[in-house]
Amino acid sequence: SQTIHQWPATLVQPVGSPLSLECTVEGTSNPNLYWYRQAAGRGLQLLFYSVGIGQISSEVPQNLSASRPQDRQFILSSKKLLLSDSGFYLCAWGDRAIGAFFGQGTRLTVV
Amino acid sequence: AQRVTQPEKLLSVFKGAPVELKCNYSYSGSPELFWYVQYSRQRLQLLLRHISRESIKGFTADLNKGETSFHLKKPFAQEEDSAMYYCALSAQGGSEKLVFGKGTKLTVNP
C-alpha cells in the first residue's frame, strides 16, 4: 500500500533563515505530488504540484520554491523565511482521478 | 480557472438531524469532485469521490452540473461526524491541479 512521509512535524525558524521540508512517498511510481498550506479560514492553498521529476508548477508567487529531485521525493524550500511564511504545510500524492492523499503536515513557526 | 466555494464556515446541527454541507464550483469543463474530512488531531483524508457514486459513513454527494454544485449530505448526523470538511475539484482532461474550498466546520451537538 502507499504511504506518505513528511517531516519534520514541527519547526521553529528565525526570520531570514533557510527552509527545507521533505516529503517522500512509498508504494507507488510516478505519483503527482502536491504542496499545500492550510490556514484557518483560508482552507488549503495549493502552492506547488509536480507531475514528474524536475517538473514543478507554481500556483502562488511567493517566497517559497519546490523541487522534485527523485520520483517519490518532493521538497519545499525557502532561501530566507518571512514571518508570513508561518503556517501548516501539507504534502500530498495522487492524481485528478483518485484525489489526493495527505501527509501529517508540518507546523512551521517563523520567529 | 478552477474555483471551489463553500459558503458556510461553520455549521451546527443536533444529533439525528439531517446535515448538508454546501459546495459550489466554477469550471468550464468536466470536473472531478471530492469531499475530504479532517477530524480533530488527524490528517486530512478523502471521504468520497463523485465518480465512485459511493456512500461513506452515511454521507453521499451528488454532482449537479446545472447548479455547479456537489453538496454533501447525511440524513442523520452523529456526534462523531464533527470535523472540518473540504470540497475539492480537479479538471478532467486538464492539468493535474487539485483545488480546495475553504472548508466548513461541522459541529454535531448531543
Side-chain angles (χ1 to χ4, degrees), chain A residues 32 34 36 38 96 100 102, chain B residues 36 38 43 90 94 96 98:
Chain A
N32 290 345
Y34 304 87
Y36 289 88
Q38 185 178 28
R96 61 173 177 253
F102 287 85
Chain B
Y36 286 79
Q38 189 170 31
R43 72 173 68 186
S90 66
E96 294 292 334
L98 184 61

Side-chain angles (χ1 to χ4, degrees), chain A residues 39-84:
Chain A
R42 298 187 62 184
L44 274 77
Q45 182 185 34
L46 178 61
L47 303 175
F48 303 94
Y49 67 98
S50 171
V51 299
I53 296 175
Q55 300 179 63
I56 309 295
S57 296
S58 174
E59 288 298 300
V60 183
Q62 57 199 333
N63 188 41
L64 301 170
S65 62
S67 61
R68 185 170 177 173
Q70 299 180 44
D71 181 44
R72 289 169 286 180
Q73 184 185 30
F74 205 23
I75 298 172
L76 183 69
S77 304
S78 173
K79 291 182 179 178
K80 288 185 179 182
L81 283 169
L82 305 172
L83 285 174
S84 57

Side-chain angles (χ1 to χ4, degrees), chain B residues 4-110:
Chain B
V4 177
T5 302
Q6 293 180 252
E8 304 142 325
K9 286 186 179 180
L10 304 171
L11 182 62
S12 183
V13 301
F14 286 103
K15 177 182 173 181
V19 61
E20 181 179 69
L21 293 97
K22 292 184 168 53
C23 172
N24 291 92
Y25 66 89
S26 174
Y27 178 60
S28 57
S30 293
E32 299 283 357
L33 287 150
F34 309 86
W35 275 100
Y36 286 79
V37 60
Q38 189 170 31
Y39 301 103
S40 179
R41 302 183 185 278
Q42 294 187 28
R43 72 173 68 186
L44 191 62
Q45 57 187 285
L46 179 65
L47 180 61
L48 55 80
R49 296 171 275 210
H50 96 267
I51 196 170
S52 303
R53 302 188 66 81
E54 55 204 343
S55 174
I56 304 293
K57 299 184 179 183
F59 284 99
T60 59
D62 291 318
L63 175 59
N64 186 322
K65 291 188 177 181
E67 295 182 359
T68 60
S69 68
F70 187 57
H71 302 329
L72 183 68
K73 300 177 184 179
K74 185 170 182 176
F76 306 103
Q78 303 299 314
E79 289 180 67
E80 55 265 30
D81 296 329
S82 296
M84 195 75 184
Y85 290 82
Y86 293 94
C87 182
L89 174 152
S90 66
Q92 191 180 77
S95 76
E96 294 292 334
K97 286 198 299 185
L98 184 61
V99 176
F100 284 75
K102 294 186 177 181
T104 298
K105 184 175 181 180
L106 173 66
T107 302
V108 181
N109 300 299

